[in-house]
Amino acid sequence: MKLPPPLSFLPPLPSPPRLPRLPGPRLSSALVGATALELAVLAGHLITYPLGLTPERPESRAGSAGSARPESPARTDRPENAPARPLALPVTGGPTAPAAAPPVVLLHGFIDNRSVFLVLRRALTRHGHRRTASLNYSPLTRDIRAAAALLGRQVEAVRARTGHDRVDIVGHSLGGLIARYYVQRLGGDRRVRTLVTLGTPHGGTAVAPGAGLHPIVRQMRGGSPVIEELRLPAPGCRTRFVSFWEDLDQVMVPVETACVDHPDLDAVNVRVTGIGHLALPVHPAVAAAVREVLETPETGEADVPVTGATSAA
């Protein structure tokens, strides 16, 4: 009897067809780098956060917040009992003269404090010509309108201490929204020369963690009554707006919501590339750009060159 041939001599079975590989999620190197930077900023901020829990000591008119040096002796050609007059603000020419620069009010974001502005404040006061005031508002604040009214009282206090008619404001995230409400809805444009916002949800954001727990977070969502109020006409608003927005901001959804888009407002939107929401107030390139904006007079300010990680948009 003949045996069947060994199995090894059988022709090989055809291999099954290879299925195409499904495309998986791919993270760009820019997003990975921005996320790593956000985590580093968060870790560093957790260390410095206790430094900003206490209110800032108000500065007197005798010196700036960043310097303990007294003012120069009064000129002998001024009458002895004549009241000191606020310095006039230039409206044309080159960068604003240090002596004429209005004070800068710094306003932090949600569940934060003035410690977030350590880098920016150092950049503004490095040459000793910028008076700054870092303000805290309670994390229990439940309404943007109430916070804006409080900001107005604090601005009046800063004006009284410094002798300036107007101030500049820099607000991060929710702080920028509070400052805009004060300027646009409470008459703050008479007191605020320039409002710089960093990652502020001007148009409302779809990402609002804790919206069900905190009413002020709900006010930051698109379509909220506060956001709709800011869409109302604002004829004659005298404040200039400069908004810094990031293309990798995971808190602003969509990212363009951090731009000021209003027909009645004098606004410039500056795109920041390669960083996220938390890094805006601490990034050296952003700090330098903010200082350059504040040192530029109102005339021709849209032509302010911005370098580093930012670009005009």
Side-chain angles (χ1 to χ4, degrees), residues 56 59 65 103-107 114 121 131-135 154 158 161:
E56 182 180 64
E59 66 169 273
V104 183
V105 177
L106 306 174
L107 196 61
R114 61 188 179 86
R121 182 171 185 171
R131 295 184 177 186
T132 63
S134 301
L135 307 180
Q154 293 172 324
V158 171
R161 290 197 303 267

Side-chain angles (χ1 to χ4, degrees), residues 144-312:
I144 287 177
R145 304 175 188 89
L150 174 62
L151 172 62
R153 294 192 292 271
Q154 293 172 324
V155 166
E156 294 301 322
V158 171
R159 291 178 60 246
R161 290 197 303 267
T162 62
H164 280 274
D165 286 333
R166 305 181 81 187
V167 304
D168 293 334
I169 298 180
V170 180
H172 178 230
S173 196
L174 174 59
L177 203 59
I178 293 171
R180 179 178 172 183
Y181 194 94
Y182 163 64
V183 166
Q184 189 176 328
R185 303 295 297 166
L186 302 182
D189 62 312
R190 295 178 294 111
R191 303 298 190 220
V192 180
R193 184 191 70 149
T194 301
L195 171 57
V196 177
T197 63
L198 308 174
T200 290
H202 291 285
T205 177
V207 176
L213 302 177
H214 205 299
I216 206 169
V217 179
R218 290 195 293 271
Q219 292 180 336
M220 289 189 284
R221 303 198 67 159
S224 74
V226 168
I227 297 298
E228 292 305 310
E229 278 190 65
L230 295 177
R231 299 185 191 278
L232 295 176
C237 184
R238 286 161 282 192
T239 299
R240 59 171 176 167
F241 294 78
V242 181
S243 173
F244 288 79
W245 64 283
E246 320 94 303
D247 56 358
L248 297 177
D249 194 330
Q250 302 300 305
V251 179
M252 300 295 109
V253 178
V255 292
E256 293 82 6
T257 194
C259 297
V260 177
D261 183 12
H262 195 293
D264 295 334
L265 301 183
D266 176 15
V268 175
N269 296 303
V270 182
R271 180 184 178 186
V272 182
T273 60
I275 65 175
H277 189 76
L278 298 178
L280 262 181
V282 301
H283 197 285
V286 176
V290 170
R291 181 163 62 91
E292 190 170 2
V293 166
L294 296 181
E295 290 179 350
T296 303
E298 295 177 81
T299 299
E301 67 179 302
D303 299 325
V304 174
V306 185
T307 58
T310 57
S311 61

